[in-house]
Each structure stands twice: as structure tokens, then as C-alpha cells.
Amino acid sequence: MNLEFLITESFDNDIKQLPAAQQNRIRNEINLVSGSLLNGRTCFMEKASIPYIFNLKGGLESSLYTVKVGDEKKMVVAVDDDPIFNKVSLTMFRLVNDDDAEKVYKEVGEQLYKSIGVL
């Protein structure tokens, strides 16, 4: 199984706003957490949460999470398993302060799920 990283422009802009030392700490945390996606997901699930349940059409379930990385920062990410291509995709949408994470999570989810017609 392979791990694929997908970084949105918004996430890239968010991380670039931080000092270099903090960017490096967050990247190290991302590597640690994402590595567990291929090995039981223990570390990922310890740092991940689902702050809001989206009521998606067709019995679909959301793959969005917030994941704690670094001091007072959380990422809004999607984790998608693709057994056909033998990969797990980690899409990083935003990097925000803890206080803003739930609000941004809802915004990302609504925008994403409305754009594909499942919300």
C-alpha cells in the first residue's frame, strides 16, 4: 500500500504564513501521523477527531478529520482508501489554530460535499 499526499493551495498558503522553525515541526508531525495511515492508524486516530457529522446522500460517510499537529494547530484533512490502486490518499485542506478548527472544518466539508452533490 502506498501513501499519496495531496496539498491544496489553501493549506500551502496557511503553512507558508508560519515561521520556518514551526513549519518544520509541523511537517515532522505530519510525517509521523501520516505514516500510521499505512500501519494500523493508531497515531493518526490518537490525534484526529470528527467535530461535525455531515449528513451525506446515498449513505456515504465523510472522510474529513481535524488532526492536531504542533502547538495549538490543527489540519483539516481527508483520508481516502483506494484499494483498486493500492493507496491511501491524505488530502490536506487547511492548517488553522485550534480555536478555528471546527468552523473551518464545517466550511471545508460544506464546500467539498456541495461541489460533488452529496450534501
Side-chain angles (χ1 to χ4, degrees):
M1 179 95 34
N2 295 311
L3 179 60
E4 174 182 54
F5 291 93
L6 303 167
I7 300 171
T8 65
E9 185 177 339
S10 296
F11 183 90
D12 195 42
N13 290 336
D14 292 339
I15 201 165
K16 285 179 180 175
Q17 300 295 318
L18 303 174
Q22 190 175 14
Q23 287 182 35
N24 288 334
R25 284 193 304 272
I26 288 172
R27 285 187 180 111
N28 289 338
E29 188 69 21
I30 291 169
N31 287 333
L32 175 71
V33 169
S34 64
S36 92
L37 291 172
L38 300 177
N39 301 310
R41 299 189 179 193
T42 304
C43 184
F44 178 84
M45 294 311 292
E46 287 173 356
K47 296 188 178 267
S49 66
I50 300 172
Y52 179 81
I53 304 296
F54 293 98
N55 188 14
L56 303 179
K57 296 176 184 174
L60 297 174
E61 293 183 17
S62 174
S63 62
L64 279 182
Y65 297 88
T66 60
V67 179
K68 184 146 183 72
V69 288
D71 299 329
E72 301 180 15
K73 293 288 186 189
K74 287 187 178 176
M75 300 186 300
V76 177
V77 303
V79 177
D80 297 294
D81 294 307
D82 187 341
I84 293 172
F85 293 102
N86 197 34
K87 69 180 178 181
V88 175
S89 297
L90 177 67
T91 305
M92 293 173 265
F93 289 100
R94 294 293 310 273
L95 176 66
V96 297
N97 292 326
D98 282 346
D99 296 342
D100 300 325
E102 186 172 338
K103 176 180 169 268
V104 173
Y105 175 90
K106 285 181 184 178
E107 290 170 357
V108 168
E110 286 175 0
Q111 181 181 26
L112 175 66
Y113 296 130
K114 283 181 181 176
S115 74
I116 58 173
V118 295
L119 184 62

